[in-house]
Amino acid sequence: MKMIVGLGNIGKKYECTRHNVGFMVVERFVEEHGGKFNKEKFDSLIAELFINGEKIIVIKPTTYMNESGRAVRPLMDYFNLTTEDIIICHDDMDLEIGHLRLRQKGSAGGHNGIKSIISHVGTEKFKRVRVGIDHPQKMSVVDWVLSRFTKEQEVKLDDGLTRAVAAIDDWIENDDFMNTMNRFN
């Protein structure tokens, strides 16, 4: 069993904002696999899929970004998962829009959602799919991550979302994240 977590903020006013790229990845993943977010448990919207006979739990925490770990840890415990079984999808301001960077571990790098997960699971050693949202030029970081993409940026983002879903599929199919990293980084 594996768990895929998309980070974002719940609610209409946050839809399609840069900080919700993690939600966008898992929404596309679930849609492409014919699933739906149709359960709620432990402050999360949940979709359950079966891919190649393996149960895949996909979650969108409803705690808001800065408290994401409050949803992730109880679900790990409930499904008896370790950090080896999870992957976190989130936005990254240090990457150009739509660019991917997969990592097996690392610090929060200033990302409050990741900081919360590290705090709640007790380690930095968990897989991540980071999708670039670019860095603000003349705007505060808070305003930037809560802003929407331009039409031109949406094209680049769409490519990044497609590649992020393909990377998750690759990890599920081959169960070798190092090889997935080599293919998608």
Side-chain angles (χ1 to χ4, degrees), residues 9-10 13 33 84 87 92 105 108 130-131 178-179 185:
N9 288 309
I10 206 77
K13 79 178 199 178
H33 287 281
E84 286 296 311
I87 192 165
D92 190 321
K105 61 183 178 181
R130 297 166 28 198
V131 180
M178 184 62 79
N179 281 338
N185 277 343

Side-chain angles (χ1 to χ4, degrees), residues 38-57:
N38 57 6
K39 295 182 180 180
E40 288 187 51
K41 186 180 252 44
F42 300 113
D43 296 313
S44 295
L45 299 175
I46 301 172
E48 293 183 6
L49 307 169
F50 285 89
I51 301 173
N52 300 331
E54 182 176 21
K55 187 174 187 175
I56 309 295
I57 308 300

Side-chain angles (χ1 to χ4, degrees), residues 9-72:
N9 288 309
I10 206 77
K12 282 271 184 219
K13 79 178 199 178
Y14 298 109
E15 285 179 6
C16 302
T17 61
R18 295 170 195 276
H19 225 15
N20 272 29
V21 164
F23 276 7
M24 293 177 206
V25 170
V26 297
E27 287 164 353
R28 182 171 294 190
F29 177 83
V30 167
E31 182 180 315
E32 287 188 10
H33 287 281
K36 289 185 178 172
F37 287 93
N38 57 6
K39 295 182 180 180
E40 288 187 51
K41 186 180 252 44
F42 300 113
D43 296 313
S44 295
L45 299 175
I46 301 172
E48 293 183 6
L49 307 169
F50 285 89
I51 301 173
N52 300 331
E54 182 176 21
K55 187 174 187 175
I56 309 295
I57 308 300
V58 186
I59 74 165
K60 296 191 311 184
T62 59
T63 56
Y64 294 97
M65 181 67 78
N66 295 355
E67 294 291 331
S68 298
R70 231 180 59 223
V72 172

Side-chain angles (χ1 to χ4, degrees), residues 11-167:
K12 282 271 184 219
K13 79 178 199 178
Y14 298 109
E15 285 179 6
C16 302
T17 61
R18 295 170 195 276
H19 225 15
N20 272 29
V21 164
F23 276 7
M24 293 177 206
V25 170
V26 297
E27 287 164 353
R28 182 171 294 190
F29 177 83
V30 167
E31 182 180 315
E32 287 188 10
H33 287 281
K36 289 185 178 172
F37 287 93
N38 57 6
K39 295 182 180 180
E40 288 187 51
K41 186 180 252 44
F42 300 113
D43 296 313
S44 295
L45 299 175
I46 301 172
E48 293 183 6
L49 307 169
F50 285 89
I51 301 173
N52 300 331
E54 182 176 21
K55 187 174 187 175
I56 309 295
I57 308 300
V58 186
I59 74 165
K60 296 191 311 184
T62 59
T63 56
Y64 294 97
M65 181 67 78
N66 295 355
E67 294 291 331
S68 298
R70 231 180 59 223
V72 172
R73 178 80 242 185
L75 284 164
M76 287 176 63
D77 294 343
Y78 180 81
F79 289 110
N80 197 30
L81 299 171
T82 69
T83 54
E84 286 296 311
D85 306 314
I86 68 169
I87 192 165
I88 310 294
C89 306
H90 66 92
D91 59 290
D92 190 321
M93 287 191 314
D94 293 328
L95 296 173
E96 290 180 36
I97 293 174
H99 285 224
L100 294 187
R101 174 109 2 105
L102 281 63
R103 290 286 180 256
Q104 293 190 89
K105 61 183 178 181
S107 72
H111 194 287
N112 289 331
I114 295 298
K115 191 181 300 181
S116 174
I117 293 170
I118 290 169
S119 172
H120 282 83
V121 302
T123 183
E124 296 178 347
K125 294 180 182 176
F126 52 84
K127 298 166 194 67
R128 301 140 199 230
V129 174
R130 297 166 28 198
V131 180
I133 63 167
D134 221 344
H135 205 278
Q137 302 302 313
K138 300 177 182 179
M139 195 182 286
S140 75
V141 169
V142 171
D143 289 340
W144 179 254
V145 298
L146 297 179
S147 69
R148 288 178 164 61
F149 296 94
T150 65
K151 293 292 180 198
E152 295 80 24
Q153 292 169 338
E154 285 176 358
V155 173
K156 293 178 182 178
L157 176 64
D158 186 64
D159 181 56
L161 297 175
T162 298
R163 293 185 63 243
V165 169

